[in-house]
Amino acid sequence: TGTPKGVCLGHRGLIDLLQWQAQHGTAQPGTRSLQFCHLSFDASFQEIFLPLTTGGTVYLIDDSYRLDAARLLRFIGENAINRVFLPYVVLQYVAEAAETIGLFPVALQEVITGGERLRITSQIRRFFAELPDCTLMNVYGPTEASVWVTEHKLKGDAQNWPALPPIGAPIARAEVLILADDLTLQENGQAGEVYIGGPCVALGYLNRPDLTAERFLPWTHPEKGNMILYRTSDLARQGFLIKLGK
């Protein structure tokens, strides 16, 4: 949608993401991960490289599985997939299919979702109620950062999960800041605009210095010094809930 633009990402933020997930997620030797996303979607980076850097296995599918929730669900179950990234719409379709055909893939340990606002529907509650040892992780990250920069894990009894989970806390070395209109740092609980800093921030837009200057701002943190911040624009518009802190 909109006008396509190239975003230049450096290696540091991507490596930070892989190392963070290796230390705080389920990926380990022997873990079976599904590669659901198209290569044009940045989430495919961690789908491929996290398993390969932790001794896991990547399972590939084509569009015939992506477009058929029941077939995708059976593939996940038959191949004992442990870890998947599913956009929210697909997660909902899979949960509906699981309820319809009575199939709940018990090998799943971690389901990651992102890209739009997460809503815990009755079907999603039922899905994870049948998989009590599986974690649902809600993540957020704009194209202008390294895949995702915040995460919030939902565990335990799915009946107790909030209907609209927050996007969670910053991961790795990502900085998520709330700034006032004059770019002063806001305290917890105060309103403002969301900015992202740290190694996860992109180097800018390819061949678009004007747009880069508009969205990537030099800023001085009162304690951490100079950094480049990316000014987000989609959090409030999409209704994301932000919970800074662990």
Side-chain angles (χ1 to χ4, degrees):
T1 59
T3 304
K5 55 185 179 294
V7 177
C8 305
L9 286 174
H11 287 77
R12 291 188 303 162
L14 296 169
I15 292 172
D16 279 355
L17 176 67
L18 294 181
Q19 291 179 337
W20 176 271
Q21 289 304 310
Q23 295 169 7
H24 297 89
T26 60
Q28 59 183 322
T31 297
R32 301 181 174 200
S33 296
L34 182 70
Q35 203 269 301
F36 175 85
C37 300
H38 286 283
L39 297 181
S40 59
F41 185 25
D42 59 1
S44 65
F45 168 83
Q46 60 84 31
E47 286 184 309
I48 297 170
F49 287 101
L50 182 60
L52 296 184
T53 55
T54 55
T57 305
V58 182
Y59 283 73
L60 306 178
I61 57 173
D62 58 29
D63 282 346
S64 66
Y65 291 91
R66 295 185 178 96
L67 301 175
D68 186 333
R71 191 178 188 198
L72 175 63
L73 185 65
R74 292 189 179 96
F75 182 92
I76 292 172
E78 291 170 359
N79 291 280
I81 300 297
N82 307 125
R83 183 178 181 275
V84 299
F85 180 101
L86 299 176
Y88 167 71
V89 172
V90 179
L91 174 61
Q92 177 64 24
Y93 288 160
V94 166
E96 292 174 2
E99 196 168 60
T100 299
I101 65 179
L103 174 60
F104 298 90
V106 295
L108 274 180
Q109 300 171 358
E110 185 176 70
V111 177
I112 306 167
T113 189
E116 60 184 290
R117 186 178 186 180
L118 171 62
R119 296 172 175 83
I120 304 300
T121 63
S122 60
Q123 295 87 358
I124 291 176
R125 288 190 197 279
R126 169 75 191 287
F127 185 79
F128 286 94
E130 296 289 338
L131 306 172
D133 297 325
C134 183
T135 297
L136 174 60
M137 185 160 68
N138 189 30
V139 303
Y140 166 74
T143 303
E144 291 82 358
S146 301
V147 190
W148 68 74
V149 297
T150 73
E151 59 185 42
H152 178 74
K153 294 182 179 181
L154 296 162
K155 300 180 179 181
D157 187 354
Q159 299 304 318
N160 297 328
W161 293 356
L164 298 173
I167 60 172
I171 66 169
R173 295 184 289 168
E175 299 277 355
V176 178
L177 307 169
I178 310 296
L179 303 185
D181 291 340
D182 61 358
L183 299 184
T184 56
L185 186 63
Q186 299 288 75
E187 300 292 335
N188 284 342
Q190 293 181 315
E193 192 163 5
V194 178
Y195 290 77
I196 298 172
C200 62
V201 173
L203 305 177
Y205 297 108
L206 181 63
N207 299 326
R208 293 292 304 275
D210 54 337
L211 189 58
T212 297
E214 176 185 335
R215 301 303 296 273
F216 294 86
L217 309 176
W219 185 74
T220 302
H221 192 285
E223 298 175 358
K224 301 178 181 180
N226 296 333
M227 60 178 65
I228 299 295
L229 298 183
Y230 169 71
R231 184 176 63 200
T232 68
S233 60
D234 56 350
L235 282 172
R237 176 172 54 82
Q238 294 190 32
F240 283 97
L241 299 177
I242 304 167
K243 178 184 177 184
L244 296 182
K246 303 301 180 184

